[in-house]
Amino acid sequence: MSEAVAETVAARFSELYGAEPHGVWAAPGRVNLIGEHTDYNDGFVMPFALPHRAVAAVSRREDGVLRLHSADIDGGVVELRLDDLSPESDKNWTAYPAGVVWALREAGHAVTGADIHLSSTVPSGAGLSSSAALEVVVALALNELFSLGLRGWQLARLCQRAENVYVGAPVGIMDQTASACCEAGHALFLDTRDLSQKQIPFDLAAEGMRLLVVDTQVKHSHSEGEYGKRRAGCEKGAALLGVDALRDVAHGDLDAALSRLGDEEEVRRLVRHIVTENERVERVVSLLESGDDTRAIGPILVEGHASLRDDFRISCPELDLVVDTALASGALGARMTGGGFGGSAIVLAEETDVDAITKAVTEAFATAGFTPPRVFEAVPSAGAHRLH
């Protein structure tokens, strides 16, 4: 499968640019098992990579020119000059790969140009990090082609900077790190303060379970204001509590911290979610590492959804319908995943219940008059790597 994809993308590159690419690379989207909106609060997250991925055929150039083409966007090759790249100057899809080139050069790396053809199977707008996959695959290719010697976490940092500064989206570090660093058959326990990582075995199929992703088809955009409002609210909470980040509020001290916030009700809700969410990540890690009762993570996922819905207030009717219907149909756990206001939910289920849950959710959407959801299994997959 990988070889066939690499050949297809390489062949299209050759058609576009008149020569074979110097290589073909892939970087996955991700789904977050637990730990939502904690990454920009220096907290804990636990994503894993999906089999869906962005693939890039790339060749090195020496003339200061960047040429970009996507199989997924109507239009021809876009040609840019590296010296003309500047933050927030580009509102098109090209901002993501161009932003990576800009970030590498800003960091002092001698990138002199490239020809790039991209193709992605990561659903756009589904909260599965399609943009991070694009950024990471370009960064990985340029890291190799220009012999930069950067490690996965360093590439993730540069990709985050590209999205924060060049694109103008205030995202945390989780998505890029997951795409760059995840391993097949594992979830990634990431401390976003120091970027320390631990690969946690996560093989549900071996225990007779499945994790479904339900893409509600409701599109969201992180560049719009609601994400930024919550980030600013979290920063306000940390400032009022006198800590560097909400990560520094211990779970056992939560009630005291909330009482100190007085009548700042919105900030109180945001703080409560972040502090309890970090504790949920730690509980899930403990359960998976012990290997005693993986099914026990189900109720923790449900707790997480309630917190995102009621305290962080970033759910929507479609996401709530997925969670409620799945649980009523026998799911072990379910929650929204990603930035919110649409996108996807995850459902933990016994293998024997998958068909019934999928049917129930699909029928519930039809009854509610919603766009039919897209349901697929999430299999923990490999992070970014060279295909060819």
Side-chain angles (χ1 to χ4, degrees), residues 55-294:
V55 178
V58 186
S59 282
R60 172 176 170 152
R61 295 178 68 102
E62 309 294 339
D63 59 358
V65 170
L66 175 65
R67 294 197 291 181
L68 300 167
H69 184 268
S70 170
D72 310 305
I73 308 289
D74 290 337
V77 173
V78 178
E79 184 169 315
L80 304 168
R81 292 206 59 81
L82 301 192
D83 289 344
D84 295 337
L85 301 181
S86 62
E88 298 197 53
S89 61
D90 185 351
K91 298 303 179 185
N92 300 306
W93 72 268
T94 48
Y96 296 97
V100 170
V101 176
W102 171 85
L104 285 167
R105 285 164 55 86
E106 280 284 299
H109 301 294
V111 176
T112 55
D115 288 338
I116 301 174
H117 170 59
L118 291 153
S119 179
S120 179
T121 58
V122 185
S124 178
L128 302 174
S129 300
S130 57
S131 59
L134 277 186
E135 293 156 2
V136 170
V137 74
V138 169
L140 181 66
L142 297 177
N143 185 46
E144 287 195 33
L145 291 176
F146 289 93
S147 302
L148 304 181
L150 298 169
R151 297 173 62 188
W153 66 269
Q154 294 171 305
L155 294 177
R157 273 277 196 227
L158 286 163
C159 290
Q160 182 200 18
R161 177 165 169 75
E163 193 155 349
N164 287 170
V165 179
Y166 196 91
V167 177
V171 299
I173 190 65
M174 173 179 68
D175 297 352
Q176 292 83 0
T177 306
S179 187
C181 301
C182 279
E183 294 181 4
H186 293 75
L188 178 70
F189 176 38
L190 173 67
D191 182 334
T192 64
R193 170 163 282 170
D194 61 12
L195 296 190
S196 59
Q197 304 176 16
K198 192 171 188 180
Q199 301 287 345
I200 309 294
F202 190 55
D203 183 2
L204 294 175
E207 299 184 59
M209 286 178 286
R210 295 287 187 269
L211 191 78
L212 303 178
V213 173
V214 182
D215 175 5
T216 64
Q217 308 279 359
V218 177
K219 304 301 182 187
H220 73 272
S221 172
H222 280 171
S223 298
E224 293 171 7
E226 294 298 329
Y227 181 99
K229 284 181 190 174
R230 280 153 184 78
R231 183 163 185 161
C234 289
E235 291 167 356
K236 180 179 180 180
L240 289 171
L241 292 171
V243 294
D244 290 338
L246 294 182
R247 146 73 174 276
D248 297 311
V249 180
H251 187 258
D253 298 334
L254 177 59
D255 288 344
L258 294 177
S259 67
R260 287 170 56 201
L261 292 171
D263 59 0
E264 292 277 358
E265 183 53 37
E266 185 175 352
V267 175
R268 284 163 55 91
R269 287 190 286 100
L270 298 178
V271 169
R272 183 164 52 228
H273 168 72
I274 297 302
V275 175
T276 58
E277 187 78 346
N278 278 323
E279 191 265 346
R280 281 187 283 274
V281 177
E282 292 184 294
R283 274 193 282 154
V284 169
V285 170
S286 178
L287 284 167
L288 292 180
E289 284 193 317
S290 72
D292 292 338
D293 187 8
T294 301

